[in-house]
Amino acid sequence: MSFTLPFLLIGFLVAVWAVIFIIKKYFPAKATHWLVMIYVSILLLSVAIVMIGMEIKQPFKDGDTVRKVSEPGFQEEIYQAFKEGKDLEPFEKYVAMEKVFPLEPGVSVVKIEKTGKEGLPLTVFIKRNKENSGQIAAKVYSHAFQEVFGYQMTAAFPPPKLKWSKNQLSISAPKVQEVNLYFVNKEFPVHQFREKEKRDTGYTSWAWFVIYLQIPEHIQIEEGDNVFVEYL
Amino acid sequence: MSLAEISLGAAVKRQFLFKMKANIDVYSSLMIMQLLAFAISYGDRIRYAVRDEIFLSKVYYYSVDPVIGITIFWGLVTGITVLTKGYTDTDFTFVTNRLSSTLSNILFLAAVGLAGAIMAMLSKNVILLVALFVDKADVLYGSPMTAGDFFLGTAVVFLYVSLACAIGYFIGALVKLNKIFVFLIPALLIGSLMFDAAQDQWPLLFKVYEFYFHEFSLAIFVVKVLASIILCYLASFLILNRMEIRS
Amino acid sequence: MSAIVECHNLTKKYRTKTVLNNFTATIEENTITGLIGRNGAGKTTLLKILTGYLKETSGKVAVFSERPFNSLKVSANSIFVDDQMSYPPALQLYELIEAAARFYPNFNLKLAKGLFDYFSFDPKGYHKRLSKGQKSTFNAIIGIAARCPLTIFDEPTTGMDEGVRKDFYRALLKDYLEFPRTIIISSHHLNEIEDLIEDVLLLKNGRAFLHLPITELKEYAIAFKGRKDEVLRRIGDRDVLHKQYIGADTMYAVVKNDFQEEDLEQARRSGLEISSVRSSDLFVYLTKPAKGGIDDVFGGN
């Protein structure tokens, strides 16, 4: 779209210019005529561009499957699944990141800390493995949800970043995400006679992420500030 | 020497065509006012900013309601100007009588009103372009303008603009009757607002507004507006039919 | 010949002032009538009633046998030219001429273009930027070229310079001969139009004071000059239109000319100088206020 537009514009202007050139011989136009013509041309051109290149999403309809995600209790479910050792299979689709950090020989203490004070508090589930696998396996489950005025936005919310150095796992929580939402309404004279749409004025947003670590039992764990650790 | 006989229809047609040509400037004022409204609409497009721990959401609203509103206002002004001294005197420089003058004025106002309505509705697309290219809006949410919406919208805006023209024309006729109306009309409007405020009741003007803008049945709306337009023009004609020119 | 304009007891009153008072006159087809009168005599009001701009208060007015107010027929067949003609400001001079041509069926576009070029107007110019004289000239071009069966000029030469005035009257006369029509031309300078007009309609105090062919106007009055008692004896009880004392007892007096040839001969023999009166002077005498003249203001005898 962004490539074709300039060409479209240039082509259109050339066409307008040609028409003007021909008309000019028979029609002594004045400045006002030109201004009106240019104005109308811009209006018509915009119609063409909008028709070709713009997608406008319809209001969200009830019963759409996507909405299920926002059902209350969803967050509780995954917590429950962790605590009770249930099958984590249904939550696999929310895995945003999976990483393995090798443990160097001789490391006996691992510090988990949050860098920066911004963002959501971190919940870390740690499962102690009896055998020494010589590594830390990390999984990040993440999901964000935003619903504005009845429209569900597919806001991408980046997962926390994990950084491993020697014996320290630094977790940086994602920053506040700037989201621009673009709405277009029907004009009041149209709205006046159309069946009233239910206008939802609600705003809901939530985001959660869970960090799931598997760490060998013999490694001591030191908790940093703003990190809530739950041992499974 | 034989005398030229001219029918009312022919006189109105000639005058109408002449006015369309001579009053090209009404389009300039329309354009300027619409661009102004467009600028207002653009400046006002960010309506909400919601911030929580996760999102900073800016909500942009694209609407040409200000453009439509100002087009209606332009109709009122144009209706008044058509009866200012210069314009009516010009009518009588060439072939006319008071009936053909009023009829050609009505036709002229209808024609430019329709143009204004179409331009206002089309300007919707321009603000969408602004969304697309200036605000880099990748996805727009809302109801797209269907062809049906466009025609309905244009028709309704046309009716509103025509109503405004007719009211303006009536005001113009009153002022022609007596200059005192230049002060009397604003005084009455403000007085009525103050009176209603003192009586602690809904302003009468709001009831007038409701009468048209809160009418949700298209058929009744059309009847209300057309009846008002006819009433205004008829009253104006009865006043103007006795008016002397360049006295 | 039929009457184009008929007025009978035509009266026009503004709130307190009566401008036309029982005006009665008839103007025949294909004549050039000079409407003359002092400032405020009601010339413009009369002309505006004839073109339907103003509404008569009482009496009867008919143009082409129709009441002009709100008559399309009158509007289509008449044009009123004065220095207040109003045009849409957005149109160029050339477009104005074309517009006029579209409205008036007899409009001679070729003639209009010719005059337009002759007076060196800029086709792309605008009316509001013209000087006062140029505006009058432009309006006059429209008035001549429109070739309306009833063409009315109200003080058409306002602001025009001497050369343009002469050209205008000449053009008007030439086109009148080629395309006869009924023309009413108002002026307070009778000498300017006296060679052009056929009839004179003199308006005084809202009435048609005189309406006669210009040739008769030239012989309408006669002047005596000589000893006061002799002059007074000759003129008898006739209305003195104008008198002037020269020295102690020499008198100059203008009276209506209804003398027999032998009366004049006698007068001449008794030592009176007899002369004709220039119509422009006569106009002044006829239209002056009822009593006295400008000299009386300064306390002259």
Side-chain angles (χ1 to χ4, degrees), chain C residues 22-43:
Chain C
N22 287 324
F23 174 88
T24 301
T26 303
I27 291 174
E28 300 294 325
E29 191 176 1
N30 297 346
T31 53
I32 305 185
T33 303
L35 179 66
I36 56 173
R38 301 286 283 259
N39 293 333
K43 299 191 297 287

Side-chain angles (χ1 to χ4, degrees), chain C residues 222-227 230-231 233-234 257 259-276:
Chain C
I222 196 159
F224 295 93
K225 188 177 165 191
R227 280 197 4 255
E230 185 62 24
V231 170
R233 198 173 67 79
R234 286 292 159 195
N257 183 9
F259 294 92
Q260 300 297 312
E261 193 49 45
E262 53 261 38
D263 292 340
L264 297 178
E265 197 53 40
Q266 278 185 3
R268 222 172 264 128
R269 259 185 259 130
S270 60
L272 293 186
E273 270 179 53
I274 298 172
S275 58
S276 60

Side-chain angles (χ1 to χ4, degrees), chain A residues 10 65 76 79 93 115 183 186 203:
Chain A
I10 292 166
T65 48
E76 299 299 318
Y79 279 39
K93 57 179 167 179
T115 51
F183 288 88
K186 285 196 192 300
Y203 176 89

Side-chain angles (χ1 to χ4, degrees), chain B residues 1 4 92-93 241 244 246, chain C residues 12 48 55 70 82 86:
Chain B
M1 174 181 245
F92 281 82
T93 297
N241 200 33
E244 301 194 319
R246 287 170 55 185
Chain C
K12 175 71 189 174
K48 282 183 175 169
K55 194 163 60 171
N70 269 341
D82 69 351
S86 165

